[in-house]
Each structure stands twice: as structure tokens, then as C-alpha cells.
Amino acid sequence: MGKYDPLQAHLQSLKANGQREWHAKFRQIERILGQSLPPSARKFPEWWANENPNTTAKSQCRAWALAGWKTANIDVQNQTLSFFANRQDGKSQDRQNQSFPVETLSLYYRWIAMGSACLDHKGRIQFPKSADRPAIYRLTIKNKDGVQVYIGETDNLRRRLQGYRTPGPTQPTNKRLQAVMVDTLCHQGVVHIDCLDICHPSENTQTDYQLSIESRFVRCLYENAAIIKCLQNGDRLLNL
């Protein structure tokens, strides 16, 4: 039996009898528990904080949360607090626990060609001109091994492409992709670059939300959507 199980049973009993509020003194709770509260309960209001019973490490919180109650009006100076029952009956709780379809976003995009890379006179990759702007980009590499694709997102496209041109010692992905691209271009292969453009299926499409590529959350959303689309198409991904 857990230390706070008697408190949980007491609160369940109050709720079963139709009581929705309980204004308690710390010493009343101690009588119910049959033992003293820890010193932190008398010093810190946070000890009485409400948390998710499925994730909290606080056994006292699980006791009142699983009984269907929440704490409020915590006064450690006067050693009092209030408990309030969650205002939902069993049926509404059952409905809450059921699974229902959730409306999700529909993502529409297209790829805009930037151009192809080549090697400069020093044998380094030279990319098409790009701006200092956020982007989701696609590298399509065609060589003797077939066609491979890499999709990424960045808050600065020009800087990211420069990273492939001159990768740092702590950039293993950049070094790996640089090696593949240099080898491809040395053997008359092709390295093509596209940028993703967020769009809608038609000019008449109306939405109540705006997705901006300035947001990293949005870029990651579209980056992963594009990766999944490549997997569906059977493309060979360099991301994996």
C-alpha cells in the first residue's frame, strides 16, 4: 500500500457522496494518512502542484489526480489548501478516453529548379547562386550508381551550400555528401538542386492558417513530408 493511498481513497469517497470541494488543513490530511507529511509539504507550495498522473514522479500528486481531484488555494503559512473534483462524470471520461480521428494539415508543395553544380578550377563544388534565406532543398545526384536524392532544410541556403563546398571537421554529413558530389562530377555525372515552394492545389484554395518557411517547425514538417514522398516513390535516399 502506498503512503498516499489513504488520501486517494478518502477523495474517492467524497466524490462518490457527491462532494465537489474539500477545504482541508494539513493536519487533517496527516490524520487520514496516519503519518506526518514531509517537511517540504509544509514549506513549498510546489509540493502540492498538479501534474499529469501518467508522467509525474510525485506519488502524492498521483493520489489526488487518479481520484479525480485537483489542488488549489495552497497556503503553506496557514497550512491549508483546497481540493476540487474534476467536473466530468464517468460517461464524459469514457468519451475522453476514446480514440477519434484528428483533422490534420494537407501539405502542398512543388520543386523549383535552382540549377546544377559543377567543379571549379580547384576541383571544388560550385553551386548556382543562392540567397541568404531559409529553404527546404533537394539534391538529385545522377552517376554510374543511378539516381540518389538528399533532402534537407536550413535557415540559410547559401551558408548550407557553402558547407558542402568546404565542410568543417565536425560536419560528417557535409563531408559525406561532398565526397559523393565531387566523385559524381569528376565522372561526368549530374548534381541538380531544387528548392521547395509551399503552394496550394489551386488559386481558389482557402485556408485559415498560414505556413511560413521562416519557421523551423514548418521547414521540418515539409522536409519530412518530402522524404516520405521519396520513400513512397522508391527513390534512393542519401538521408538514410
Side-chain angles (χ1 to χ4, degrees), residues 161-182:
L161 294 179
Q162 181 62 31
Y164 294 138
R165 177 177 165 86
T166 56
T170 60
Q171 298 177 313
T173 299
N174 286 7
K175 293 171 70 174
R176 176 171 63 90
L177 290 174
Q178 182 206 45
V180 173
M181 288 188 282
V182 168

Side-chain angles (χ1 to χ4, degrees), residues 7 16 28 36 39 61 64 71 75-76 100-101 104 113 135 160-161 167 170 173 236 239:
L7 175 60
Q28 289 177 280
S36 299
C61 175
W64 64 70
T71 56
D75 186 345
V76 293
F100 294 96
T104 59
R160 175 60 56 82
L161 294 179
T170 60
T173 299
R236 295 173 59 201
N239 295 69

Side-chain angles (χ1 to χ4, degrees), residues 94-215:
D94 289 342
R95 288 195 298 270
Q96 187 182 59
N97 291 334
Q98 292 177 7
S99 296
F100 294 96
V102 177
E103 182 181 357
T104 59
L105 296 175
S106 295
L107 304 180
Y108 300 94
Y109 63 89
R110 60 188 171 188
W111 291 105
I112 305 296
M114 280 186 60
S116 296
C118 61
L119 296 178
D120 64 15
H121 65 285
K122 293 183 178 181
R124 295 180 301 184
I125 307 171
Q126 184 170 320
F127 293 100
K129 289 185 178 180
S130 57
D132 294 314
R133 64 179 179 85
I136 300 115
Y137 59 93
R138 179 177 65 184
L139 301 174
T140 303
I141 300 171
K142 301 178 182 179
N143 55 31
K144 62 182 184 301
D145 296 323
V147 179
Q148 296 172 296
V149 176
Y150 181 85
I151 294 172
E153 65 82 21
T154 178
D155 62 348
N156 188 309
L157 181 60
R158 187 181 67 82
R159 186 172 63 230
R160 175 60 56 82
L161 294 179
Q162 181 62 31
Y164 294 138
R165 177 177 165 86
T166 56
T170 60
Q171 298 177 313
T173 299
N174 286 7
K175 293 171 70 174
R176 176 171 63 90
L177 290 174
Q178 182 206 45
V180 173
M181 288 188 282
V182 168
D183 182 72
T184 295
L185 294 171
C186 283
H187 294 86
Q188 288 73 52
V190 175
V191 176
H192 193 75
I193 307 161
D194 304 300
C195 277
L196 184 144
D197 177 43
I198 296 176
C199 61
H200 301 292
S202 71
E203 294 182 357
N204 297 324
T205 300
Q206 299 294 323
T207 62
D208 56 359
Y209 57 86
Q210 295 294 327
L211 296 178
S212 171
I213 208 165
E214 299 288 333
S215 166

Side-chain angles (χ1 to χ4, degrees), residues 46-65:
E46 293 81 7
W47 191 91
W48 300 95
N50 296 299
E51 297 181 6
N52 187 328
N54 297 318
T55 57
T56 183
K58 298 178 180 178
S59 55
Q60 74 274 16
C61 175
R62 281 198 299 273
W64 64 70

